[in-house]
Amino acid sequence: GGTCPPGYYPHNVPGVMGCAPIPGYGGESQTGTPLPTWATRWGAIAIDDKTGNFGGVERLSSKRKAKKAAISECESYGGKNCKVTLMYYNQCAALVWGRNFVVSQGAADSQSAEKLAIEACEKDATECKLVYLDCSLPERIK
């Protein structure tokens, strides 16, 4: 609870933050009509910590596509050693830079992602500023 939209639960494995649907949640409406079907959407943030270049992508259909696209975007801005720092799905993500420190953070909504990332940065750095914020929320497909 608290970090995912209604009908979803936190599903975090090493290197990936996300929200997964609760089995059996909802099902059918009270009128007997099927409820909407939703597709997971992925996002990723890649950073080259030597150059400060980064790439952030959202609303992609797979983890693999999100990872590849984030690295490609980071490299398109001049990154030479881009590495994914956050993979997430059905959530929002924020990237905050501080003096010699960077934090990428996922959360259920953009305000929470920004707040958590800034708080984490301010524990270890000064001059913390939001540089990227976006969401990869589930997409209605039916």
Side-chain angles (χ1 to χ4, degrees), residues 1 10 23 30 41 50 52-53 57 62 67 69 90-91 95-96 105 112 140:
Q30 291 182 341
R41 291 296 173 242
K50 293 188 184 353
N53 298 92
V57 297
S62 74
K67 180 178 181 179
N90 299 344
Q91 287 192 336
L95 177 64
V96 172
Q105 176 70 49
S112 297
R140 184 177 176 164

Side-chain angles (χ1 to χ4, degrees), residues 1-10 18-20 22 25 89-91 107-109 137-138:
T3 61
C4 293
Y8 287 79
Y9 66 94
C19 297
I22 296 172
Y25 182 87
Y89 62 97
N90 299 344
Q91 287 192 336
D109 58 69
L137 299 177

Side-chain angles (χ1 to χ4, degrees), residues 18-141:
C19 297
I22 296 172
Y25 182 87
E28 290 188 350
S29 69
Q30 291 182 341
T31 62
T33 56
L35 291 175
T37 302
W38 299 88
T40 294
R41 291 296 173 242
W42 284 86
I45 297 173
I47 300 170
D48 180 337
D49 58 2
K50 293 188 184 353
T51 65
N53 298 92
F54 73 92
V57 297
E58 60 285 324
R59 294 181 280 285
L60 294 172
S61 61
S62 74
K63 179 180 178 180
R64 182 186 56 76
K65 287 178 183 177
K67 180 178 181 179
K68 185 176 179 181
I71 291 171
S72 178
E73 183 169 317
C74 176
E75 290 172 346
S76 77
Y77 291 121
K80 303 289 183 212
N81 191 30
C82 299
K83 293 193 175 18
V84 173
T85 60
L86 180 66
M87 297 286 310
Y88 64 98
Y89 62 97
N90 299 344
Q91 287 192 336
C92 299
L95 177 64
V96 172
W97 286 101
R99 187 171 187 91
N100 300 318
F101 195 77
V102 63
V103 175
S104 50
Q105 176 70 49
D109 58 69
S110 57
Q111 295 86 0
S112 297
E114 179 179 1
K115 181 179 183 279
L116 292 169
I118 288 173
E119 287 173 355
C121 179
E122 289 176 343
K123 288 180 183 175
D124 294 307
T126 60
E127 302 175 31
C128 296
K129 293 190 179 13
L130 179 70
V131 295
Y132 176 82
L133 180 65
D134 215 322
C135 297
S136 287
L137 299 177
E139 182 178 299
R140 184 177 176 164
I141 57 172

